[in-house]
Amino acid sequence: MTSRRSFSGSTTTDRPPPSAASARPWSTAVDTRLLARKPATLSMREAAALPLAVITAWECLVDRAGVRAGQKVLVHGGAGGAGSVAVQIAAARSAEVFATASAARTPLVRRLGTVPIDHTSVPVERYIAEHTGGAGFDIVFDTVGGPVLDASSEAVRTYTGHVVSALGWGTHALAPLSFRAATYSGIFALLPMLTGRGREHHGEILREAAALVDEGKPRPLLDGTRYTLADVADAHRSVESGTADGKVVVDVEP
């Protein structure tokens, strides 16, 4: 062959094969069970930001908690990558969605179609009383971990409530959850990649999500800063500090 197909940013181009001195990988082996077509309505950058976030949100809300119409759903970290997708998935299933965020990010969370809660100034007992009449939320999705997961156990509805977390990696008290007779599920989205079990389901999630995206919901939320491989350290710092709005994407140029 005299040319190879390659990706550069969000465009596809024909380029000659690389020389031996500058050889780069032009293809990679993948497990076909994990594949889904890119949604036609998304750019390459948007599509790159979707898989991990949507798998995390889907496993928590759909697979574990069974989110459905009429439920009150609280998402902690609604301006983050998984959180911003989660609020849209819950809304697409006709749930009433609330999301915690900092004061500066409440307008962004509101634009996603949810009721924002400023976690820096509004205590748990106050927003439970204000938004649920003191009954608690049907589903609480924690994307933050640590003390936020403990607060989730205090915010969930008695008997039928369900707390789900993508970051339940610390030591936490079970008493608040037990006293409410509520349930908890933790997910580890990389488990199918590490064990080989459940890979087919990740592909199913991506295909279902792609269809929803092309219907207008959900849309990935991308942080506005553009990063290249030379800026990877800055990209990591943005994620670790919690200052990124949505998913951080690194552009890899061929």
Side-chain angles (χ1 to χ4, degrees):
M1 294 178 65
T2 59
S3 66
R4 302 284 184 92
R5 202 72 168 165
S6 66
F7 292 106
S8 174
S10 60
T11 60
T12 307
T13 58
D14 285 318
R15 292 174 179 264
S19 65
S22 62
R24 295 173 180 173
W26 289 80
S27 62
T28 185
V30 297
D31 188 332
T32 56
R33 294 173 295 175
L34 293 169
L35 295 181
R37 289 186 178 275
K38 181 186 80 68
T41 55
L42 295 186
S43 68
M44 288 292 186
R45 293 187 80 249
E46 290 174 317
L50 192 62
L52 182 57
V54 79
I55 286 172
T56 300
W58 195 283
E59 282 198 342
C60 282
L61 290 177
V62 180
D63 292 346
R64 302 295 188 274
V67 62
R68 59 184 184 275
Q71 290 184 313
K72 288 180 181 285
V73 176
L74 173 65
V75 176
H76 286 301
S84 60
V85 172
V87 298
Q88 296 177 79
I89 289 175
R93 290 183 165 241
S94 301
E96 185 179 0
V97 191
F98 305 80
T100 60
S102 64
R105 292 175 174 174
T106 53
L108 184 154
V109 171
R110 185 178 287 108
R111 289 198 299 273
L112 293 174
T114 184
V115 178
I117 298 171
D118 177 7
H119 67 85
T120 63
S121 63
V122 183
V124 176
E125 58 273 12
R126 179 174 155 192
Y127 64 68
I128 293 173
E130 181 179 349
H131 297 299
T132 73
F137 296 89
D138 297 293
I139 299 171
V140 182
F141 177 26
D142 161 48
T143 71
V144 182
V148 174
L149 178 51
D150 290 322
S152 299
S153 296
E154 300 174 11
V156 73
R157 182 182 291 273
T158 300
Y159 290 123
T160 58
H162 197 121
V163 175
V164 283
S165 177
L167 286 171
W169 302 337
T171 301
H172 302 275
L174 290 176
L177 197 65
S178 297
F179 288 148
R180 287 168 175 76
T183 54
Y184 168 82
S185 294
I187 69 108
F188 180 33
L190 292 180
L191 199 59
M193 300 293 291
L194 298 174
T195 66
R197 296 173 58 187
R199 287 190 176 187
E200 299 91 341
H201 185 51
H202 275 194
E204 293 166 357
I205 291 173
L206 291 179
R207 288 187 285 274
E208 287 196 55
L212 281 177
V213 168
D214 281 337
E215 293 174 6
K217 50 190 178 183
R219 302 284 300 188
L221 177 65
L222 269 59
D223 185 75
T225 305
R226 300 291 291 253
Y227 298 99
T228 67
L229 284 179
D231 310 312
V232 163
D234 292 332
H236 275 288
R237 279 189 286 270
S238 177
V239 173
E240 291 170 355
S241 66
T243 58
D245 291 331
K247 292 290 288 185
V248 170
V249 177
V250 175
D251 294 321
V252 180
E253 298 293 338

